[in-house]
Amino acid sequence: LLDRLGDSNRWTRQTVIRLLGDRKDRSLAGKIRERFEHEPGPRALDWLWAMNAVGAFDEAFAGQALGHGDPYVRAWAVRLLGDARGISAAMATRLAALAKTEPDVHTRVQLACSARRLPPREAIPIIRRLLEHNEDAADIHQPLLLWWALETQATHAPDEVVELFRDRAIWDLKLVRGTIAERLMRRFAATGTRTDLARCSELLRLSPTPEDGKRLAAGLEAAYTGRSIASLPVDLAAAVAKYSGQSLAFGLRQGKPQAVAETVKILADPAADHARQIQLLGVLADAPSAQCQAVVLRIARESPDEGLRTAAFSALAGYDDPAIADALIEVDSSLSDDLKLAVRSLLAARGAWAKKMLDALDHGAIDRRTVPREVVDRLLLLKTPGVAERTQAIFGVARPSTPAELQAKINRLHKVLDAGQGVPKPGKAIFDRTCLRCHTLFGKGGRVGPDLTAYKRDDLDGILLNIVNPSAEIREGFSTSVLALNDGRVLVGVIVEQDPNVVVIRGDDGKE
């Protein structure tokens, strides 16, 4: 068998290794080691696998493999050491030294993966040395693999991870600046515990430059999206305040007068960067500011940019002002179909606004045919007296179709499709107008429903079933939830994320 391990046919070599693994004859270890030592090229990898197959791969042999000239042999030695989930102090020192000097990126990638599987005492020095490779900052895998490894250690040994940042030199490393620092701050802030928030304060205290503080503040801001920052510890709030000039969004979230005034100025400027305006509108959706209401409403009514107007509608949801409903109904006839849907979803969230929409429906200011069924269902959920009754009077009482009725509709459509051919161009226009609002196809569209790219599009029976009876089969993660808020709002959509601090719900308009 050992002679056949030198065969040129890969299948033969793999079969030999399998048979050696079945037998587990450790007495062969000496012969395998000898042949490994005399194989300078990539074929040495077969002998390394054979040693592992017979159960004789140990740290002594791993030490030899780590000094081998072929990078894949070194990488596999690291991989097999990580499989053991623990190594000696001497081997940990050896791997940390290798992490500092290893010239091959594939081996460094494996070192990052194995570091995640090792206990903190052995793993953190390896991660620290890998972070010194500035050339890996542009690699497609290594930056996030190192974050993956460090985040695991932040869970098991958070104080040891913070200790890394007492070294001034680590702040200048490209991987730390580009990938690690902001994510680490976000990781600690996301839990909301006093202990982890104290670690956030310490990181801010240790940050040596305003740019480093700005990155940390951005991480804290991302962690608190959708959450109140009123309960931030005094020392952390003070530390963030040091960099508040660097983060307008965080200052706005804190309600700082200077940040609010700057936000109003940016939102009122037609020439301002729309991406920045949308970001600020997203903050106002979480933390409404009374001083910003007028400018947000103006954007919702007048902006020529539909993306900006949609973001403004989301921001207006936090303001409990009946005048908002009047202002939006006034411009309703000039809105596109997508914007009308956003307005109807917004007005159906509050009882007082819903009453004004029902008045507009009664008077013909809003065409009842432009109100989708999901908005009608949301109106029926409101507890405001009279809303459900008036909704039923306008739209009728919805009666779920019976299985027989649904099947009859499917059969009728099947006959229509069998009798003729589709016309692709207008069909695509209809699809773009109606289906892409919720579904993604080839990277374009919404995220309310499942991605249709991989869907079997020649399965006519399956497609008809899902169109006529979309509730027949609901994929995991796309079931609808109803949230009743203490301020009287009712939100309906798909829960995309939740933890003890925040629930993120994606509505039928695609907004979270």
Side-chain angles (χ1 to χ4, degrees), residues 168-344:
R168 170 64 177 81
I170 198 172
W171 294 91
D172 294 329
L173 302 176
K174 287 185 178 180
L175 284 161
V176 172
R177 286 185 168 181
T179 304
I180 302 298
E182 181 177 337
R183 284 179 170 84
L184 185 61
M185 189 72 163
R186 182 173 182 176
R187 162 66 180 78
F188 285 139
T191 68
T193 66
R194 311 305 288 181
T195 305
D196 276 343
L197 291 177
R199 294 184 179 108
C200 291
S201 298
E202 183 65 6
L203 286 172
L204 276 167
R205 189 186 68 79
L206 293 170
S207 59
T209 69
E211 283 300 312
D212 294 313
K214 177 183 176 181
R215 278 186 280 272
L216 296 177
L220 185 70
E221 179 185 328
Y224 270 81
T225 298
R227 297 160 57 187
S228 169
I229 61 171
S231 60
L232 277 182
V234 175
D235 59 338
L236 180 56
V240 173
K242 181 180 177 182
Y243 304 101
S244 60
Q246 305 288 337
S247 175
L248 174 61
F250 193 81
L252 176 61
R253 199 177 292 278
Q254 287 182 301
K256 292 191 173 184
Q258 183 178 354
V260 172
E262 180 66 17
T263 298
V264 171
K265 181 179 177 182
I266 292 172
L267 292 179
D269 183 2
D273 179 55
H274 283 194
R276 193 178 190 199
Q277 289 178 318
I278 289 174
Q279 180 202 27
L280 294 173
L281 288 169
V283 174
L284 289 172
D286 294 334
S289 169
Q291 296 93 316
C292 297
Q293 178 180 326
V295 69
V296 174
L297 184 57
R298 190 182 315 138
I299 291 172
R301 284 172 50 90
E302 302 172 6
S303 175
D305 185 280
E306 288 209 359
L308 200 58
R309 293 181 86 170
T310 304
F313 292 146
S314 297
L316 287 173
Y319 296 98
D320 187 8
D321 183 355
I324 291 175
D326 293 326
L328 295 181
I329 291 171
E330 184 180 334
V331 298
D332 184 82
S333 60
S334 65
L335 301 178
S336 67
D337 289 344
D338 286 343
L339 291 179
K340 284 181 179 179
L341 174 62
V343 168
R344 281 140 186 68

Side-chain angles (χ1 to χ4, degrees), residues 129-190:
R129 296 307 179 191
L130 289 172
L131 289 172
E132 295 175 8
H133 290 270
N134 287 332
E135 66 272 24
D136 288 345
D139 186 76
I140 191 173
H141 300 301
Q142 186 69 334
L144 289 179
L145 284 173
L146 281 169
W147 165 241
W148 189 44
L150 194 65
E151 183 189 25
T152 300
Q153 304 308 329
T155 299
H156 301 302
D159 292 329
E160 286 81 348
V161 171
V162 173
E163 193 68 25
L164 281 174
F165 289 83
R166 299 191 189 282
D167 179 1
R168 170 64 177 81
I170 198 172
W171 294 91
D172 294 329
L173 302 176
K174 287 185 178 180
L175 284 161
V176 172
R177 286 185 168 181
T179 304
I180 302 298
E182 181 177 337
R183 284 179 170 84
L184 185 61
M185 189 72 163
R186 182 173 182 176
R187 162 66 180 78
F188 285 139

Side-chain angles (χ1 to χ4, degrees), residues 393-412:
I394 294 172
F395 296 98
V397 178
R399 182 182 65 83
S401 299
T402 66
E405 290 171 334
L406 292 171
Q407 188 59 51
K409 187 174 183 180
I410 290 173
N411 293 340
R412 179 178 63 80

